[in-house]
Amino acid sequence: MHKINVAQKLSCFQDHWSPKIVGELNGQHVKLVKFQGEFVWHHHDSEDELFLVVHGSFRMDYKDTAGAENPWRLKKANS
């Protein structure tokens, strides 16, 4: 098992909206990204997305729902 220190990886970069690949699971990339400002809704035809807020919060609007995401809550976006 390979452990990833998320806090350490996040401290390695300051830029926003530039995802960094830190691992892979079942053929899917595990990415870290720092958000700032508006997150525009989009989807991926062949991928799901999982959001884990570590610090701060953001609002995620879907086609049919919306809600604030707060630290240490997971949000899975289906394709």
Side-chain angles (χ1 to χ4, degrees):
M1 178 183 298
H2 179 73
K3 295 180 183 179
I4 297 170
N5 183 322
V6 174
Q8 185 273 329
K9 293 290 186 184
L10 285 169
S11 72
C12 291
F13 65 97
Q14 301 304 316
D15 49 327
H16 296 92
W17 303 109
S18 181
K20 310 297 183 212
I21 297 171
V22 296
E24 188 175 312
L25 177 67
N26 296 329
Q28 298 287 319
H29 288 136
V30 177
K31 301 177 184 178
L32 297 178
V33 65
K34 293 182 178 184
F35 289 8
Q36 184 176 42
E38 184 178 0
F39 179 81
V40 179
W41 184 89
H42 65 280
H43 79 284
H44 303 276
D45 290 332
S46 60
E47 298 175 348
D48 291 339
E49 290 187 300
L50 179 70
F51 296 88
L52 170 62
V53 178
V54 176
H55 179 76
S57 65
F58 75 101
R59 180 180 175 85
M60 184 179 291
D61 295 330
Y62 294 93
K63 291 185 291 187
D64 55 353
T65 61
E69 305 307 329
N70 298 301
W72 301 111
R73 292 182 60 198
L74 290 172
K75 183 71 168 185
K76 180 178 180 280
N78 297 321
S79 57

